[in-house]
Amino acid sequence: MDGSQLAAVFLSLAARQSIEALFILTRVSGLTQAATHMTHPLNIVILAAGKGTRMKSDLPKVLHPLAGKPLISHVLAAADQLGPESICVIYGHGGETLPQAIARPELAWARQEPQLGTGHAVQQAVPYLDPAALCLILYGDVPLTRPETLQEMTLIAGEGAIALLTVHLANPSGYGRIVRNARGQVERIVEQKDATPEELAINEVNTGILCLPAGKLAGWLARLNNKNAQGEYYLTDVIGMAAAEGERVIPCHPAAEWEVLGINSRAQLAELERLHQHNQASRLMSEGVTLIDPSRIDIRGSLTCGRDVLIDINAIFEGDVVLGDGVQVGANCVLKNVELAAGVQLKPFCHLEGARVGANAVIGPYARLRPGTELAEETHIGNFVELKNAQVGFNSKINHLSYVGDATIGRKVNIGAGTITCNYDGANKHRTIIEDDAFIGSDTQLVAPVTVGKGATLGAGTTLTKDAPAGQLTLSRAKQLNLPGWQRPVKNK
Ligand code: UD1
Ligand code: CA
């Protein structure tokens, strides 16, 4: 179904006021920005002013990382997927640290100072709201809400109702409770501290996430008071006001509880991190990746895998990592912004960053590839080898204990143990060029800039300061002396 067909279906369904049908539509079509936009623009408000006392941190809570990126960046990523007209972040505690860290010029930032409650927080966003838009309220410390769940809520609000995300919890303690009337309709939300014993027994709770027409929201916010147990302006009171005016409040539920879990402590952060990693591991396995232990993998960015990839324990993936068909990643490897082509074998304990590796290369154990490394097909990089900004040609081998930086290495080159490119003179970096079929003897230093010609051989121990001609043996080595009759000194008595 393309955009215009979708629009047509959407409009005909909307005309019939069929909310259920709209749900089905989103489920079938997946996320489409078109769906919310055809009728109403969307304004998103993210609450992030709170103190986060229990984190015991100098860093604002929403900047603490989950899967390698700040909590609030997860919320922003979900928000972006809905194609909103605007996003306004309410900040306060920690001052300008938060806007500076996020640095997205298109975001609106509203400072809430002092923090007088969630209702007061959303009041700060009112100047940024389009009265004709829908307003979706999210929380900077609730990172894993699926965009699909939020999109369903925007569709309900688009019908003129108030969509409220609620969940049933075995232990509802601490949350606002959803109070329904005799007909089962949502009537109001009561906070834990204001609740009667009967209300405390309710186990349907408020997640805080809601979507409603912005114009009406502004009106209700203006009428909030702080006459409650905490002396705060409660956003939740908006629900009671709306219901009293005969508005429809429609509860929506997340597909899974983790979608609405918020973070207040480091222990909760660690729990949600594991949960998120477990979800990512499950997705990889369902896509055909073998994980030796799905509880011992960390993906802090995006990981794209071909067919029959195998990942051993304790691998960490950061930034964007792409693994081709049949790639094997050994235990305890760290890969950041790396592309490994089909059939690459990465043995245990390797650290790769900013590298591209050609098909069937064998790397490690204990290899380090630094940014700018490009290995062609069937290359071999062995233990304790460090490469930086080096291009290595087809089937070349650097198998032991070497540093190769700022170098261009041809095809079928063999670099012996203990080879070092002396690329840095203390002020500038210089290149080493080693042409096809060259053989570099062990314990050689190549003082760049320097070129080793095609098919050249360098004798072991050479310190190469001038180019080595193609096809010849070059060596710089003190002549060996043998002293017959020489005797070891003996210790004085
Ligand atoms: C709120 C809800 C409660 C719900 C719970 C879900 C209210 C009155 N209560 O309670 O019904 O079950 O969330 O977690 O809304 N914040 C600000 N400025 C403020 C106060 C809060 O930006 O002045 C932000 C916080 O940073 C936080 C969020 O709003 O991200 C929720 O605030 P919090 O104090 O945790 O609300 P709860 O009392 O837990
Ligand atoms: Ca809370």
Side-chain angles (χ1 to χ4, degrees):
M1 203 184 300
D2 68 25
S4 60
Q5 286 170 306
L6 187 65
V9 175
F10 181 87
L11 290 173
S12 73
L13 290 171
R16 277 188 268 135
Q17 302 273 304
S18 168
I19 291 170
E20 289 78 6
L22 289 174
F23 281 6
I24 292 160
L25 176 65
T26 38
R27 290 215 173 95
V28 169
S29 66
L31 268 184
T32 64
Q33 298 198 352
T36 47
H37 276 227
M38 270 171 299
T39 44
H40 304 277
L42 179 65
N43 294 170
I44 295 180
V45 176
I46 301 176
L47 302 198
K51 192 152 180 229
T53 315
R54 280 191 277 158
M55 297 299 282
K56 299 191 177 145
S57 175
D58 291 335
L59 192 67
K61 178 167 72 174
V62 297
L63 286 181
H64 279 260
L66 180 107
K69 73 180 184 191
L71 293 173
I72 194 170
S73 298
H74 290 269
V75 181
L76 287 166
D80 286 341
Q81 291 223 35
L82 304 172
E85 207 84 352
S86 70
I87 300 177
C88 177
V89 184
I90 312 298
Y91 73 110
H93 190 77
E96 299 306 311
T97 317
L98 179 57
Q100 276 162 13
I102 298 303
R104 274 181 49 172
E106 76 283 12
L107 296 179
W109 294 90
R111 189 158 179 165
Q112 186 201 15
E113 194 88 83
Q115 284 116 44
L116 304 177
T118 50
H120 178 251
V122 179
Q123 276 170 1
Q124 313 311 307
V126 169
Y128 301 94
L129 297 181
D130 168 1
L134 301 176
C135 178
L136 172 66
I137 295 168
L138 303 175
Y139 296 79
D141 57 2
V142 180
L144 298 182
T145 319
R146 288 159 54 250
E148 290 82 354
T149 301
L150 300 174
Q151 175 125 27
E152 286 194 3
M153 296 179 69
T154 64
L155 292 174
I156 292 172
E159 294 278 296
I162 296 168
L164 181 67
L165 195 63
T166 76
V167 65
H168 290 83
L169 295 181
N171 175 12
S173 180
Y175 289 89
R177 309 295 207 280
I178 307 296
V179 180
R180 294 178 182 246
N181 65 19
R183 284 184 293 157
Q185 294 158 330
V186 175
E187 203 172 65
R188 63 194 165 88
I189 298 172
V190 62
E191 292 304 296
Q192 165 99 12
K193 288 185 178 146
D194 301 292
T196 64
E198 296 76 52
E199 287 165 343
L200 288 176
I202 298 170
N203 72 352
E204 184 183 9
V205 306
N206 173 35
T207 66
I209 296 173
L210 75 159
C211 188
L212 69 179
K216 289 179 183 168
L217 170 66
W220 293 318
L221 287 174
R223 286 166 37 209
L224 289 180
N225 65 55
N226 63 355
K227 291 179 199 136
N228 51 54
Q230 301 184 80
E232 286 182 6
Y233 294 88
Y234 288 167
L235 176 63
T236 45
D237 286 350
V238 159
I239 298 297
M241 292 179 183
E245 290 176 17
E247 300 283 347
R248 285 182 304 148
V249 178
I250 301 194
C252 307
H253 310 297
E257 205 176 291
W258 49 258
E259 286 194 56
V260 298
L261 295 178
I263 285 164
N264 295 305
S265 65
R266 301 211 192 223
Q268 287 171 343
L269 179 60
E271 265 172 45
L272 213 54
E273 173 80 36
R274 273 309 102 209
L275 217 147
H276 180 57
Q277 294 300 345
H278 174 81
N279 289 347
Q280 296 192 109
S282 301
R283 175 182 58 80
L284 282 176
M285 291 188 292
S286 73
E287 289 168 4
V289 175
T290 296
L291 301 180
I292 299 298
D293 182 351
S295 67
R296 282 184 288 173
I297 179 171
D298 284 85
I299 303 163
R300 303 172 189 159
S302 82
L303 173 60
T304 311
C305 293
R307 288 181 78 79
D308 294 309
V309 166
L310 183 148
I311 300 173
D312 207 335
I313 61 166
N314 294 336
I316 299 178
F317 300 92
E318 299 177 326
D320 294 323
V321 175
V322 179
L323 306 181
D325 294 347
V327 165
Q328 302 201 349
V329 176
N332 301 298
C333 289
V334 178
L335 289 82
K336 179 174 186 178
N337 296 322
V338 165
E339 230 181 288
L340 306 185
V344 169
Q345 277 186 54
L346 198 56
K347 301 200 166 163
F349 295 100
C350 291
H351 190 285
L352 279 61
E353 177 177 359
R356 279 173 47 195
V357 178
N360 303 317
V362 180
I363 299 171
Y366 300 102
R368 179 171 185 208
L369 308 190
R370 291 170 54 201
T373 299
E374 285 181 32
L375 306 182
E377 293 172 18
E378 293 177 39
T379 43
H380 290 195
I381 305 298
N383 40 222
F384 308 109
V385 172
E386 173 182 350
L387 291 162
K388 186 216 71 174
N389 190 22
Q391 294 80 51
V392 181
F394 171 77
N395 200 215
S396 289
K397 296 175 178 153
I398 314 173
N399 274 329
H400 328 269
L401 294 159
S402 291
Y403 170 65
V404 176
D406 299 308
T408 306
I409 294 170
R411 298 163 63 88
K412 292 188 168 289
V413 169
N414 193 318
I415 295 190
T419 298
I420 293 172
T421 56
C422 309
N423 59 327
Y424 185 50
D425 59 15
N428 296 299
K429 305 274 170 69
H430 303 281
R431 278 201 91 72
T432 298
I433 296 169
I434 302 176
E435 295 179 350
D436 297 350
D437 298 307
F439 181 97
I440 311 297
S442 297
D443 189 29
T444 293
Q445 301 93 50
L446 300 122
V447 182
V450 75
T451 297
V452 177
K454 190 169 193 298
T457 300
L458 299 191
T462 293
T463 300
L464 192 72
T465 51
K466 291 182 290 206
D467 292 353
Q472 294 183 14
L473 170 67
T474 297
L475 51 93
S476 76
R477 192 191 284 170
K479 264 222 155 62
Q480 183 170 320
L481 278 175
N482 299 322
L483 302 182
W486 176 84
Q487 298 208 324
R488 275 189 196 175
V490 289
K491 211 173 182 126
N492 293 330
K493 290 260 161 71

